[in-house]
Amino acid sequence: MTETTSDRPGIDPILKMLLDAVPLEFTVDDGVEVAREKFRAVKPPAEMLPDMRIEERTVGYGGLTDVPVRIYWPPVEAHANLPVVVFYHGGGWAIGDLDTHDHVARAHAVGAEAIVVSVDYRLAPEHPFPAGVDDAWAALQWVAEHAEELGGDPSRIAVAGDSAGGNLSAVMALRARDAGGPPLVFQLLWYPVAVGDLSAPSFVENADAPILNADVMTAFLTWYLPGLDMSDPTTLPTDLAPANAATLAGLAPAFIGTAEHDPLRDDGGRYAELLAAADVPVQLSNEPTMVHGYVSLAMASPAAAEAANRGLAALRAALHPV
């Protein structure tokens, strides 16, 4: 677990000013559409985004044939034999889409110098667990089969995602190992759910944190996991809590980025411990002044940009080995 003290650093003042001005707060009673509209309202102006080749497609694998994706090619001269990152957006499995995370996907393409395939998986409550997992898997399989067609290198595929997308990325890494492929070279997990222990200290310490507070978490869990008993995390299915796999050995190397002022801080920290115990190369970076969602806010805060760059640098290093 990540230890905290009563005199821990405060939230980055630039982030705090932004979040005080545009609070992202809602309850389950507000309904998912209210939550989605609030989330869509917080994104950078289009003129601030880096230019690159972008293409929309609908992809599939097996019985799933209608998963929308947005493909980003990095702004480099040659679009051949590039690594590929399959990106899953955050939003509690219930909000968020290709547009809310367009700037984040672009940042991954630039930062990792890789093709990024951003996946528009189905959302709860209309499509509760495991619909999003199934879409995420179908998209990953499609990317593995079509990487060369995109100008990508099928031997250099990684998964990345923030929050719920970090959860899906961790689940995909486990599935890929157990299915014998596609072989992944890296998993970039931004403040993920991977253990599911709601009794961890960070859930109490950060119950009133910005962006992801207790009410917001309750809404997400109610929508995504209706009727599921979360009281004993060890009973959760591995498609929700990959930490419950019989063994984590052989998983792709990982970077886990957590935030001190985030209820999910200890979840990511504990998963890093479990990966390390299974001899999986893992780097944990707990950001002392950050809140949940800091990667999405990197264009507004130099401190958030520095934190995001740490993970992107690890992704780039894994995808472009010397």
Side-chain angles (χ1 to χ4, degrees), residues 244-304:
N244 288 336
T247 176
L248 299 175
L251 287 177
F255 178 99
I256 301 178
T258 58
E260 178 64 33
H261 302 272
D262 180 0
L264 297 183
R265 180 197 69 214
D266 292 346
D267 196 296
R270 177 59 181 152
Y271 196 51
E273 290 176 354
L274 293 171
L275 291 174
D279 293 325
V280 175
V282 57
Q283 181 181 351
L284 173 67
S285 185
N286 184 55
E287 304 297 342
T289 66
M290 288 294 104
V291 300
H292 189 82
Y294 64 81
V295 175
S296 290
L297 302 169
M299 296 182 75
S301 158

Side-chain angles (χ1 to χ4, degrees), residues 74 85 87 103-116 160-162 188 190 295 311-312 315 319:
V85 177
F87 179 81
H103 64 295
V104 181
R106 291 180 196 235
H108 282 66
V110 173
E113 203 166 290
I115 299 167
V116 170
D162 62 312
L188 175 54
W190 299 111
V295 175
L312 293 176
L315 176 63
L319 292 173

